[in-house]
Amino acid sequence: MRLWNLSWFLFFDSLLVISGLQTPESFDIDGGIDQDIFDINEGLGLDLFEGDIRLDGVQDRNSIIGENYRWPHTIPYVLEDSLEMNAKGVILNAFERYRLKTCIDFKPWTGEANYISVFKGSGCWSSVGNRHVGRQELSIGANCDRIATIQHEFLHALGFWHEQSRSDRDDYVRIIWERIQSGKEHNFNTYDDKVSDSLNVPYDYTSVMHYSKTAFRNGTEPTIVTRISDFEDVIGQRMDFSDYDLLKLNRLYNCSSSLSFMDSCDFELENVCGMIQGSGDNTDWQRISRAPGGPESDHSNMGQCQGSGFFMHFDSSSVNMGATAVLESRMLYPKRGFQCLQFYLYNSGSGSDQLNIYIREYSADNVNGSLNLVEELKDIPTGNWQLYHVTLKVTNKFRVVFEGHRGSGASLGGLSIDDINLSETRCPHHIWHIRNFTQLIGSPEGILYSPAFYSSKGYAFQIHLNLSHLTDAGIYFHLISGANDDQLQWPCPWQQATMTLLDQNPDIRQRMSNQRSVTTDPFMTTDNGSYFWDRPSKVGTVAFFPNGTEFRRGRGYGTSTFITHERLKSRNFIKGNDVFILLTVEDISHLNSTQDPSVPTPGIKDLCSEITCQNDGICAVQDDKAVCRCPVGEDWWYMGERCEKRGSTRDTIVIAVSSTVTVFALMLIITLVSVYCTRKKYRQRTSSNAVNKTLENEYAF
């Protein structure tokens, strides 16, 4: 961000509320309809079991009882060329959610006996469990490229059925049979606990595997009514795993920890998560629930829970300028080599107070650790909790060090930190902080534009959030004219924008954030034949920043049904009347296996285009050479440069037996010949000795 954000853009680092201006026409990828998985598949005329499950003819409901149909903890996969580019990027993001919250990992297929082939089929569907068929298909078709939809289908592949098919379903929801489409009633069957295991987890209204209330309806009335009315609009969420989804998955696969999670701390316990005070500083951080100069409460609970709600506070009003307070995390052990540190920070002190983030890294050569400055947070806004992300790249064991530094000027309070999370994931590139949010919901004033941001490639963009609709919030991605446009490639190729409405739960593992991704397709055209993602100065409309500076804004691309207002008011999306939207725009052109003729990359040759792997082999580049990864099964395999030869255990046994017999026969022949030759030689020697003996006797006479 520091590379591209020029000073005239930083001037607008506040919420832009633009009204009374002509806004560019936005393209709604959902057509104004919030379609669930089952709506998509039904619209395509698919008749799948329970709407999105593919049965193989021998599968029954007890197939996941026991370990026979479980996958290994690391699942091989192939992203087929048929997939849309946006879907490929979202699938990889979904894998990161699995890594963050479970012990399930995914790796590109390299010839393992069984693997998941993700392709663009008709609709969104999967088989249940590991079917041991070699190549197991999972379809992410058109409009299925939502992260929770992909999580849902992979949960099927991992061995899970829908939540409402549990044996105890009727204790929690009522099925209104007369409202179900004729012939679809079987999709609402339940199965007893002898054939479907709930893993001793309570019924989950919030499960990502639950039908929505409108599933398979024949009119406008719901087919599922929750016995607790508060959950009527909760069932069918497609945001993220619920806590019980994770509990079941981790129990089924015996997960004791997740892969990329490292630490989370809300300071509710007196041991402050094992953090330690520095010894060479001037004062200590204090664990308190309220600071005289602010904040009035912690960020975790916002003062809603009496007797709880703590944070760490550096009182800069009680020390002189230049004084410091140091707080260090417990020892941490990285595995991936990159980390994201996230925390909330409140400044009630001087505007010149700052927070420095260090890493104390340990090695064999430095057992006491070397201290390295990573980030200096200056000009911290005062009066409210701010969200920060800091990217780390640590490979040895380490501690995170928070150093509060007293600046110049008067201070009535200090710096406070809360809700720290550390994970081995990528940090978002930007944060859009929206204050006084609730008054904008459903209001004509709820048409918001973010500040101008820059992607890592240098493209300038804005996010448009539309809260003015009565029931749904919309979100759109716009390219805008920027300082680097003369040096950039147009139409903009394969930049994936991921927009995440943050669930501000203190623990990153328990968040159910709402996310949507869109990707710039350089071949996409508008009705008048121009390229949709062409240079904004060419295809955009005139817009103005609040100070009157003119710029060009391209058409928006997103959805008018990003989230309902009801869901928006649930969980911790809004906290202290603040909302945070996390933004990442990254280049995913490397996921496009076909070289684009209009977006050339000089000097790069597609090595795999020169060879064809037979028998479902996969081409891979190794040591700058295209090689075929050949499929293998439990008792068969393919081999050869192009996977053109087939081998099997039976063939090996036959070859081994034949070779043994041949060797035995050869050895027998050699032995017989050797015996024959030895005996013949012996006889000749014996005969010669007899003749010599006779001659000796004759001469003796």
Side-chain angles (χ1 to χ4, degrees):
M1 183 172 69
R2 284 171 292 189
L3 179 64
W4 300 107
N5 273 6
L6 302 180
S7 58
W8 69 279
F9 274 111
L10 290 174
F11 178 78
F12 310 112
D13 190 27
S14 59
L15 176 65
L16 303 184
V17 181
I18 300 182
S19 58
L21 297 176
Q22 180 182 359
T23 58
E25 181 184 357
S26 295
F27 185 88
D28 189 342
I29 57 179
D30 294 323
I33 303 172
D34 184 16
Q35 285 191 310
D36 196 8
I37 299 168
F38 314 102
D39 302 318
I40 294 169
N41 290 346
E42 185 181 354
L44 293 169
L46 301 181
D47 187 19
L48 297 166
F49 184 72
E50 293 193 357
D52 70 331
I53 295 174
R54 178 181 179 180
L55 300 181
D56 58 15
V58 297
Q59 187 172 9
D60 55 35
R61 290 293 302 202
N62 64 357
S63 62
I64 66 165
I65 300 298
E67 299 184 1
N68 193 33
Y69 289 95
R70 295 182 195 173
W71 288 89
H73 284 154
T74 301
I75 303 172
Y77 71 89
V78 170
L79 300 185
E80 303 289 357
D81 289 347
S82 60
L83 285 167
E84 296 176 0
M85 281 289 282
N86 191 64
K88 290 181 181 180
V90 178
I91 291 166
L92 296 181
N93 287 337
F95 290 169
E96 286 298 323
R97 282 191 172 181
Y98 274 93
R99 293 183 183 109
L100 176 65
K101 301 182 180 186
T102 77
C103 67
I104 302 300
D105 200 0
F106 299 86
K107 63 178 288 291
W109 179 65
T110 54
E112 291 83 358
N114 298 291
Y115 67 98
I116 294 178
S117 169
V118 192
F119 76 113
K120 182 182 179 180
S122 180
C124 337
W125 51 261
S126 172
S127 301
V128 175
N130 183 352
R131 309 309 305 161
H132 295 281
V133 293
R135 178 177 181 265
Q136 180 169 319
E137 292 184 330
L138 186 152
S139 174
I140 301 298
N143 301 318
C144 301
D145 54 350
R146 302 186 189 185
I147 191 166
T149 296
I150 293 166
Q151 291 173 260
H152 178 108
E153 297 306 334
F154 270 92
L155 278 176
H156 280 319
L158 284 161
F160 288 91
W161 304 87
H162 291 125
E163 184 70 9
Q164 76 288 332
S165 65
R166 289 171 48 140
S167 59
D168 58 353
R169 184 268 312 277
D170 292 335
D171 294 337
Y172 302 96
V173 301
R174 290 188 300 114
I175 306 302
I176 314 301
W177 297 97
E178 62 271 18
R179 297 176 182 171
I180 300 172
Q181 297 171 27
S182 178
K184 301 292 186 181
E185 293 85 358
H186 63 278
N187 290 324
F188 293 85
N189 290 345
T190 59
Y191 301 87
D192 64 40
D193 50 16
K194 294 179 182 178
V195 297
S196 183
D197 192 355
S198 63
L199 299 165
N200 198 30
V201 174
Y203 192 86
D204 187 11
Y205 291 113
T206 63
S207 173
V208 76
M209 303 302 287
H210 204 296
Y211 278 178
S212 65
K213 66 179 181 180
T214 61
F216 302 103
R217 64 181 178 181
N218 57 19
T220 58
E221 295 298 314
T223 53
I224 303 178
V225 177
T226 58
R227 295 192 180 276
I228 302 176
S229 60
D230 291 344
F231 291 102
E232 191 75 16
D233 293 317
V234 171
I235 58 173
Q237 67 86 9
R238 300 290 178 260
M239 296 184 295
D240 202 343
F241 301 116
S242 70
D243 289 345
Y244 283 154
D245 285 333
L246 294 170
L247 180 58
K248 284 186 287 188
L249 179 57
N250 287 327
R251 281 185 179 177
L252 184 64
Y253 281 85
N254 299 314
C255 298
S256 58
S257 62
S258 55
L259 295 174
S260 61
F261 171 79
M262 297 194 76
D263 200 12
S264 181
C265 189
D266 59 7
F267 301 109
E268 290 306 298
L269 299 178
E270 289 84 351
N271 70 348
V272 294
C273 309
M275 301 184 85
I276 58 176
Q277 302 281 355
S279 57
D281 52 4
N282 304 102
T283 186
D284 285 341
W285 290 79
Q286 302 294 326
R287 175 179 173 268
I288 59 177
S289 58
R290 180 179 178 275
E296 294 291 324
S297 66
D298 72 330
H299 184 268
S300 307
N301 300 300
M302 287 290 174
Q304 296 179 0
C305 300
Q306 188 174 1
S308 65
F310 293 89
F311 54 91
M312 299 301 288
H313 181 70
F314 161 51
D315 184 3
S316 64
S317 66
S318 62
V319 294
N320 296 324
M321 186 178 68
T324 61
V326 173
L327 185 67
E328 300 193 24
S329 74
R330 62 180 176 85
M331 196 75 76
L332 298 159
Y333 299 86
K335 292 176 287 187
R336 301 184 80 182
F338 59 88
Q339 301 82 28
C340 182
L341 173 67
Q342 182 194 85
F343 57 92
Y344 287 86
L345 176 63
Y346 192 107
N347 184 13
S348 59
S350 166
S352 61
D353 288 352
Q354 72 180 61
L355 182 69
N356 299 323
I357 306 297
Y358 293 85
I359 290 300
R360 190 183 301 279
E361 190 170 8
Y362 299 83
S363 65
D365 298 330
N366 194 339
V367 294
N368 295 320
S370 58
L371 197 63
N372 301 305
L373 178 65
V374 178
E375 192 86 15
E376 293 179 298
L377 301 180
K378 301 178 180 179
D379 301 320
I380 304 166
T382 59
N384 55 80
W385 287 103
Q386 302 286 331
L387 176 64
Y388 287 91
H389 291 89
V390 177
T391 296
L392 310 178
K393 297 179 181 179
V394 192
T395 55
N396 298 312
K397 66 178 182 179
F398 70 101
R399 298 179 189 270
V400 178
V401 179
F402 298 87
E403 181 192 65
H405 186 276
R406 172 69 161 96
S408 60
S411 171
L412 299 177
L415 299 176
S416 304
I417 54 175
D418 201 5
D419 294 352
I420 300 173
N421 283 280
L422 181 65
S423 61
E424 294 199 281
T425 57
R426 304 289 185 188
C427 285
H429 296 168
H430 305 283
I431 302 171
W432 182 16
H433 183 184
I434 307 174
R435 304 198 60 205
N436 302 316
F437 190 82
T438 53
Q439 68 190 42
L440 302 172
I441 300 175
S443 165
E445 299 299 319
I447 300 176
L448 314 177
Y449 284 88
S450 74
F453 296 114
Y454 277 92
S455 74
S456 58
K457 289 288 185 180
Y459 290 96
F461 67 92
Q462 275 187 321
I463 303 301
H464 169 205
L465 185 65
N466 189 348
L467 302 170
S468 63
H469 193 274
L470 294 179
T471 59
D472 297 282
I475 195 165
Y476 301 89
F477 172 76
H478 296 261
L479 289 177
I480 64 173
S481 54
N484 312 298
D485 289 358
D486 289 339
Q487 290 78 44
L488 296 174
Q489 212 166 8
W490 302 101
C492 177
W494 312 122
Q495 303 297 300
Q496 185 169 66
T498 298
M499 303 165 284
T500 304
L501 175 64
L502 182 66
D503 176 9
Q504 300 180 66
N505 188 293
D507 191 327
I508 192 172
R509 294 167 296 180
Q510 297 176 4
R511 290 175 180 169
M512 291 173 63
S513 299
N514 196 53
Q515 183 179 111
R516 201 64 188 271
S517 297
V518 297
T519 298
T520 63
D521 182 346
F523 304 109
M524 181 180 175
T525 57
T526 62
D527 293 337
N528 62 13
S530 61
Y531 286 106
F532 191 98
W533 298 108
D534 211 344
R535 186 169 178 167
S537 61
K538 181 178 178 181
V539 299
T541 57
V542 175
F544 296 91
F545 289 111
N547 73 337
T549 302
E550 179 181 318
F551 67 100
R552 292 268 179 167
R553 182 189 293 127
R555 290 181 64 188
Y557 194 77
T559 176
S560 61
T561 57
F562 177 58
I563 190 171
T564 66
H565 292 335
E566 288 300 318
R567 288 200 193 280
L568 183 56
K569 296 173 184 177
S570 67
R571 300 197 60 80
N572 288 303
F573 294 120
I574 307 172
K575 208 166 189 180
N577 211 12
D578 288 358
V579 159
F580 293 93
I581 295 179
L582 312 182
L583 305 170
T584 295
V585 179
E586 56 187 341
D587 186 353
I588 62 168
S589 57
H590 63 282
L591 299 177
N592 192 349
S593 61
T594 303
Q595 190 68 41
D596 298 328
S598 64
V599 190
T601 308
I604 297 178
K605 186 177 182 181
D606 185 3
L607 298 176
C608 284
S609 65
E610 299 178 353
I611 69 171
T612 301
C613 300
Q614 302 176 23
N615 299 305
D616 292 329
I618 298 294
C619 178
V621 177
Q622 182 176 345
D623 299 327
D624 295 325
K625 181 182 178 181
V627 295
C628 288
R629 303 290 192 188
C630 303
V632 298
E634 293 181 356
D635 59 355
W636 57 267
W637 56 87
Y638 285 97
M639 53 191 170
E641 290 187 1
R642 302 292 183 267
C643 305
E644 70 277 8
K645 301 176 183 178
R646 189 181 191 278
S648 68
T649 304
R650 180 179 178 184
D651 294 338
T652 303
I653 293 173
V654 170
I655 293 171
V657 171
S658 300
S659 299
T660 303
V661 171
T662 301
V663 171
F664 177 77
L666 182 61
M667 292 300 295
L668 180 60
I669 292 171
I670 293 172
T671 302
L672 291 174
V673 171
S674 298
V675 170
Y676 174 78
C677 293
T678 302
R679 291 184 65 184
K680 184 177 180 180
K681 184 176 181 181
Y682 176 76
R683 286 174 180 172
Q684 290 175 346
R685 185 178 298 172
T686 303
S687 176
S688 176
N689 289 339
V691 171
N692 292 335
K693 188 71 173 177
T694 302
L695 291 174
E696 288 176 3
N697 290 338
E698 289 179 354
Y699 286 125
F701 288 108

